[in-house]
Amino acid sequence: MSGLAKTPVVVEEGGNQCRKRSQVNNDQCSKRAKLDEMNVNEKKSNFSLITPNSNGAIKLSSAMNKPGATTKKLVIKNFKSKPNLPENYQETTWSKLREAVIAIQTSKAIAYSLEELYQAVENMCSHKMASQLYVNLTNLVEAHVKANIEQFLSESMDRQIFLKRMDGCWRAHCRQMIMIRSIFLYLDRTYVLQNPSIHSIWDMGLDLFRHHIAMNTLVQTRTVDGLLLLIERERGGDSVDISLLKSLLRMLSDLQIYQDAFEHKFLQATERLYAAEGQRLMRELSVPQYLAHVEKRLREENERLLHYLDPSTKWQLIHTIERQLLSEHLSGILTKGLEALMDGPRLTDLTTLYNLFSKVKDGLNELCNHFNAYIKKKGRTIVIEPERDKTMVAELLEFKEQLDHVVSTCFQRNSKFVYSMREAFEYFINQRQNKPAELIAKFVDLKLRAGNKEATEEELERLLDKIMVLFRFIHGKDVFEAFYKKDLAKRLLVGKSASVDAEKSMLSKLKQECGGGFTCKLEGMFKDMELSKDINITYKQHLAASQECGGLELSVYILTMGFWPTYPVAEVRLPAELTRHQDHFAKFYLAKHSGRKLQWQATLGHCVLRAHFAQGNKELQVSLFQALVLLLFNDGDNLSFEEIKTATNIEEGELRRTLQSLACGKARVLSKAPRGREVRDADHFAFNAEFTNKLFRIKINQIQMKETSEEQKATEERVFQDRQYQIDAAIVRVMKMRKALSHNLLISELYNQLKFPVKPADLKKRIESLIDRDYMERDKDNPNQYNYVA
């Protein structure tokens, strides 16, 4: 130690001659000098046995300086006895230290230097006085802390004043303990470290403050209640002293009573506040306003965590708010406002809704369920109402695009919502059997017609992709195929297709979706059209070579019956010139393709006639039926309905529509008497020589019979017939493989194999039909069992 020399030098009294000396380094000399100085000032005892008048320097005898003198060997020995401390050293030193501690506690000047006080603590510790020193210091601090509690026990004190006084007391205590610890640092770093069972000086101060002040029931209650009141005011929008809140909550945390004394009560108060607020605001606010309020509250509470609350409170606090403002009202929020948000769509509010619901348990599941119900409800409204048939597909495409945008923008492309949307579409689009499939096919026809100029090729391609999405949801894809094939045939035969590339692109999409079996007939139709072009070129070359060209040009489409829709055969009377050309082409074709049979389809024919009017010559683009009627007026100017019917043999209903298009439409090349929109049996028709039109080639459209009656029913009937054949084939295929099968297992197997919706009653009818035709039989012992008949 600085006051003791462990290897002292023994010097004779009354002289400076050295009997023995040691090699003393400079540090030891400086320490002795300090000891002499402290002895003079009576501020420190001199514990060495060095003579008082010695300055620590070692003088050698003069004999050793003489020339030729021999150097004696230096021997260093320990003290024969341990040096003794001055009497009352412990009491005197503690008195000094006690005086310094009290000065710190009372904010007065310390009479001694901090270095001197530190040295005193070090000396006491070095001489095994640390234990008593620690006890004395603890008692001194405890007495001071006990004295401080009196100021907090007044019943009439204002809460704000109480909290400020408590904060001042805590801050003063912390400052005092820092100063005290700096003086007693040697005690803290030696004795305390060697005795794990006792507190460090800082922890001892905290423990005493906690035990005597913070844990006092009255003080703790008033402190916590005051803090809760301040927080409640701040949540209500009032301005409060944030630094006071932060300091006192930090105090509770440092004293390790934050959870027990404050947090539990705080969370209970929070739960009560937001439970009441949630109930009230759900009644008063709209859903977007309520969601904005919840978002604001969560933001505010996170700021409180940053500013003054302990981070350990975060999870429970945020969870409490989310539970009271969201979890308790999930169904209410969605029932009250989801439909309005989706109808907008209000993307910002939907994003907020998704983000908030993702924070709570089952929030996204509840949102997804209501999202699914909304789609089914609105989609069913679009599909099920017959008056919306004209706009159904356009509305469904718009609805699907809107939902896709919501899912990608607001719901973060969550796969759960994507699958839910698909399931909902598949559900409602099949609520009305066959009709959506038919209308989608007609919508495709409308977009692929030559008259559709509203979209570029790129836009048309994107539209076809969107239509294919709807097509995937349809169960009755065979219905779509039937109507699509019928419309495609018209586009190809009449030359109304907007783009061959678009047609083949659609065909490729269908093939990719449903396989080659679905599109083989459609591909056959395109193949027939290409072969027909080659045949027509060859036929024209044949006519040129045989020099049989007349004034009439004939182009023929050779259609394979299995690929194309079934058309009714119309037996009409053709002009002799046209009949001669038909016979000539048949002879030419059959010479190249023996064994085939040609059947002329008059309903699909169209012609271009040259007509002479008073205003000039025109070319009329008409159907074959229209041409047959107009050609009659080459031989007569005025003909009755019956005369025209007899001369052409056109079916009566078709003839009425044909005459309507010629006499009652926009291009009236015939005049009707009497006038009117309807064609009656007694009407007479005459050639309208005064007809005028600014165009040279005029297309006279046929008055189409509404497809919703005969044609539509015929198409549906063909689909139904095809389904019966597919059901029969599936039953025979299963029974041939299994040989014997129960009714329920057979029905289950058929459901797995058939790709279109079918009812159990329909399956039962086909089973009965196959039993009647001896393809299978009922088991004699078990009527519910079927056996295959080989």
Side-chain angles (χ1 to χ4, degrees), residues 561-594:
M561 186 174 290
F563 294 159
W564 297 77
T566 303
Y567 298 104
V569 178
E571 296 293 339
V572 296
R573 292 191 180 92
L574 301 177
E577 181 70 10
L578 188 55
T579 304
R580 185 175 67 81
H581 275 75
Q582 282 188 351
D583 293 341
H584 189 274
F585 179 84
K587 184 179 179 181
F588 160 78
Y589 181 80
L590 294 174
K592 289 181 173 292
H593 304 279
S594 60

Side-chain angles (χ1 to χ4, degrees), residues 660-724:
Q660 266 186 322
S661 66
L662 296 172
C664 305
K666 291 182 180 180
R668 299 185 180 185
V669 294
L670 298 181
S671 57
K672 183 174 83 74
R675 291 184 177 184
R677 293 288 301 171
E678 299 298 325
V679 175
R680 306 186 185 280
D681 293 348
D683 289 348
H684 283 71
F685 299 87
F687 181 70
N688 182 14
E690 304 301 322
F691 171 78
T692 59
N693 197 297
K694 62 181 180 179
L695 300 176
F696 174 71
R697 174 169 283 194
I698 304 152
K699 179 175 176 56
I700 303 177
N701 292 321
Q702 179 81 1
I703 302 295
Q704 293 292 330
M705 177 179 61
K706 286 192 175 180
E707 199 179 32
T708 51
S709 53
E710 288 89 354
E711 269 194 37
Q712 184 176 329
K713 288 180 181 177
T715 304
E716 290 178 356
E717 185 61 35
R718 285 198 300 273
V719 171
F720 180 71
Q721 192 64 45
D722 287 343
R723 285 184 177 180
Q724 287 187 324

